[in-house]
Amino acid sequence: MSQDFDIAIIGAGIAGASTAWALLEASPNLRVVLIEMEERPGYHTTGRSAAIFIESYGGPAIVPLSRASRAFFGAPPAGFPPLLHHRPSLIIEGPDDAGGLERVAAEYDEGGVAYDWLDAAALAASPVGPMLKAEWRGRGLIEPDCHDIDVAALHQGFLRGVDGAKPTLVTNAEVTAIERRAGVWQISTRAGDLRAPIMVNAAGAWCDGVATLAGAAGKGLMPLRRTMAVLRIDPAPPADLPTVMSSDGSFYFKPDGERLWLSPHDEIPDVPHDVRPDEMDLAVVIDRFEQATTVQVKRLESSWAGLRTFAPDRLPVFGFDAAVDGLFWCAGQGGFGIQTSPAAGRLCAALLLGGNPPLDPKPYCANRPLA
Ligand SMILES: Cc1cc2nc3c(=O)[nH]c(=O)nc-3n(C[C@H](O)[C@H](O)[C@H](O)COP(=O)(O)OP(=O)(O)OC[C@H]3O[C@@H](n4cnc5c(N)ncnc54)[C@H](O)[C@@H]3O)c2cc1C
């Protein structure tokens, strides 16, 4: 394998993979390498998501990125199978969050997101109605045009490349040292040394650490732990259950066949590592679920946790570093990195190659002031 590339991308999760794909879409002859420390790309956050597309998710400033990704998901390019399964998103309001839905509706209005109100009768008649205790069945807000995403198919599609133009993927290749010599990055990895004039930092929770290796200042990125429980419940969830979220952000759930995925919507500050769920977080969310519903939790079948990594202003960080030549940031994808990946990849490719970005990159500029 040649050790010389045009662009080296550190991290082969969805951020790195979508950027590699978009680079080759724009310029098929580029030599792009994806450098991944694990044996399997997707081992960290990308493989631990809830696999949902909800346009409003992440707030009004993220809506343009999600919206710009819709056409890709709706009609995926050659090489991708169908990626979406329709599943609306429903926000419900509990007894301790009166007015919570008005707060959510105001955010939807600000982002221009389409939604409908459900009154008590409509909520009771919806697939979730029979599951809810009376005090959670007052009213709801439904965002109809939401979906489950086939994350593995999306990620693999990006890694396969475009029309035969494929990124080189090097796994088991933790980057341990980075040096810039005569305008070229010398990247030392556990699988050997690689060189490229441009280096993309797409290392997820590890981005600030990778920047430090390259001699750049970090962005104050915060990895926040999120937990997911997989439950067997009685009765089993209906297949047409929406993704159901509480307006106070204390839980959300969605079906996965006979099982239910349930998350406490937690955001526990953590450090970059192979994160595991905490028993207490699992117990807390099962209790919250039992307080809100009439169904019986038969057992906790499995669980996982992942790190959602945010910049201090909770917007992604895309673009060349202002102080360190040839270093490009692709970081801070928080809780929306899967659903925004098609547009984010193309945005990063345009910034890297000097092409036309699919949307205004200014709000996400790597050199904006970050507290
Ligand atoms: C529970 C949960 C639910 C979520 N639900 C959704 C959802 O429904 N929809 C949505 O859009 N998003 C969701 N997200 C967020 C989404 O998963 C992330 O935004 C996205 O996966 C981030 O991708 P990434 O490529 O930046 O990070 P990662 O997937 O973590 O990839 C970074 C890669 O960099 C590698 N790396 C790090 N350091 C080095 C190094 N020194 N050398 C080489 N390689 C290195 C790592 O091994 C890793 O593979 C969820 C996240 C969690 C945890």
Side-chain angles (χ1 to χ4, degrees), residues 111 151 237 343:
V151 178

Side-chain angles (χ1 to χ4, degrees), residues 40-122:
R40 187 169 61 77
Y43 177 78
H44 289 290
T45 312
T46 295
R48 306 180 190 205
S49 86
I52 304 170
F53 183 105
I54 297 180
E55 187 177 283
S56 61
Y57 203 78
I62 302 302
V63 169
L65 265 178
S66 303
R67 197 174 282 150
S69 299
R70 265 196 190 280
F72 181 105
F73 280 119
F80 290 84
L83 296 169
L84 298 182
H85 172 84
H86 182 234
R87 185 176 307 289
S89 156
L90 172 69
I91 315 283
I92 55 173
E93 188 181 62
D96 299 331
D97 193 32
L101 289 183
E102 273 75 18
R103 215 176 42 241
V104 177
E107 271 212 352
Y108 285 6
D109 289 337
E110 192 185 333
V113 172
Y115 66 93
D116 292 310
W117 287 94
L118 296 188
D119 63 15

Side-chain angles (χ1 to χ4, degrees), residues 11 14-15 36-37 44-46 48 50-52 175 334-339:
I14 205 79
E36 171 54 51
M37 71 177 167
H44 289 290
T45 312
T46 295
R48 306 180 190 205
I52 304 170
V175 172
F336 42 80
I338 309 291
Q339 69 177 44

Side-chain angles (χ1 to χ4, degrees), residues 193-273:
D193 295 348
L194 302 162
R195 287 180 293 273
I198 294 176
M199 185 173 68
V200 176
N201 182 3
W206 288 263
C207 277
D208 270 351
V210 165
T212 306
L213 285 180
K219 299 288 182 190
L221 297 169
M222 297 168 293
L224 304 178
R225 186 174 76 233
R226 173 146 301 177
T227 309
M228 190 69 75
V230 179
L231 305 179
R232 288 282 181 176
I233 59 171
D234 188 19
D240 59 353
L241 193 69
T243 298
V244 179
M245 302 198 177
S246 63
S247 58
D248 62 359
S250 58
F251 62 81
Y252 69 88
F253 56 84
K254 69 174 232 183
D256 175 33
E258 300 273 287
R259 302 176 183 82
L260 191 85
W261 290 10
L262 171 68
S263 171
H265 229 170
D266 46 345
E267 294 199 330
I268 319 272
D270 213 319
V271 292
H273 74 301

Side-chain angles (χ1 to χ4, degrees), residues 130-149:
M131 292 175 68
L132 296 178
K133 286 188 177 155
E135 59 270 30
W136 283 85
R137 240 190 289 128
R139 58 189 187 148
L141 257 188
I142 193 144
E143 190 182 331
D145 196 7
C146 300
H147 306 268
D148 288 340
I149 304 171

